[in-house]
Amino acid sequence: MRHSLPLAPQFYVTAPQPCPYLEGRMERKLFTALQGDHAHTLNDTLSKQGFRRSQNVLYRPSCAECSACLSARIRVADFRTTKSQRRALKRNEELVRRTRAPWATEEQFDLFRTYLDTRHSDGGMADMDVFEFSAMIEETPIRTRVIEYSEPPQAGHGRAELAAVCLTDVLEDGLSMVYSFYAPERQADSLGTYVILDHIRLAQEAGLPYVYLGYWVPGSPKMDYKSRFSALEIYRGGVWQPLNRNEDFSPETHPLSTDPIAEQVARITLPDTAS
C-alpha cells in the first residue's frame, strides 16, 4: 500500500519479515526513494528524523507492534572516551586512514566476505555477491566516502593490508556511518570501536556536531555496543533525547506503542525545495 503527502516523495512499507535483532519479532520498514536534484537535501532532512540510507533508498523501522529500534547519534562536542575506548585507540594507532571516492575494489570485497562469513554468516547480507557489494558502495546520489584503515606497509612490501572499511555519508550536520566491516582475526583489537572513535575525531576536525551510528535496539546483544559511547542521543517520539540510562528503554511490544503508517507519514517534515 502506498502512502504519500501532496507534492512530496512517495512513501512505501515493506512486507513483514523476521526481525534480525529480536527473536520472535517481525520487522517492517517505511521507505522512500532517494533521487533527483534534491537528494542530498532530502537525505539531510530525513536523517534528522531517524531515517537511514541504503543505496538509493531512505528507510526507518515501522513495525506493527514493536518500536524497539531507535536511531542513535553521538554529540561530538560532549563525547568523552572511556578507559576501554582509549585502549582501543592505542591498539590501533598504527593504522593508516585513507578516504576514497565511493568505488568498490576487490580488496574491499575480499575483506567484506571474510567478515560476513566469520561474524554474520546467517545475516541478511550473507549471500551478497560482488555485484551487489559494488552497488552498495557505488549507488549513492549524495556525498559519500569510503574510509579505509590499513596496516602500514611492511619493509619490502609496497602494499598495505586492509584492516577495516566504513561506507560513510557526509551530512550537513554530521557523518553517517552507513556500513562498516573489519578483519575478524583482529576482533581483540576492538576495530569496530576504533572506527567509530575515528569518525568522532573526523567530525570534530570538520566542525560537524554529530556522528550517526544507525539503530540501537535495547535487548539486542548485536546492538548493545552503541550504548557504551558517551553523549549518545536516540530518536524517540519525534525528538532526539539523551540516552542516560539503558534501563529507561525496553523493547515495547504493545499494539498501541506505534502509530498507523498514515499518521507517521503525515508527521514527516520535508525539505523546502521550491527555490
Side-chain angles (χ1 to χ4, degrees), residues 58-119:
L58 288 172
Y59 71 92
R60 74 180 183 194
S62 180
C63 304
E65 297 183 356
C66 178
S67 57
C69 293
L70 302 167
S71 188
R73 69 185 186 185
I74 295 170
R75 294 190 314 276
V76 169
D78 298 323
F79 174 76
R80 300 293 181 270
T81 55
T82 63
K83 185 180 296 186
S84 64
Q85 288 166 354
R86 288 192 290 273
R87 288 196 296 266
L89 287 170
K90 181 68 175 176
R91 283 195 294 266
N92 296 285
E93 63 182 356
E94 84 286 355
L95 293 181
V96 178
R97 181 210 303 146
R98 181 183 179 187
T99 302
R100 304 166 56 107
W103 187 258
T105 66
E106 291 184 11
E107 188 180 15
Q108 292 169 7
F109 180 69
D110 289 343
L111 180 62
F112 174 74
R113 281 297 347 155
T114 301
Y115 174 78
L116 285 185
D117 294 343
T118 304
R119 298 292 304 277

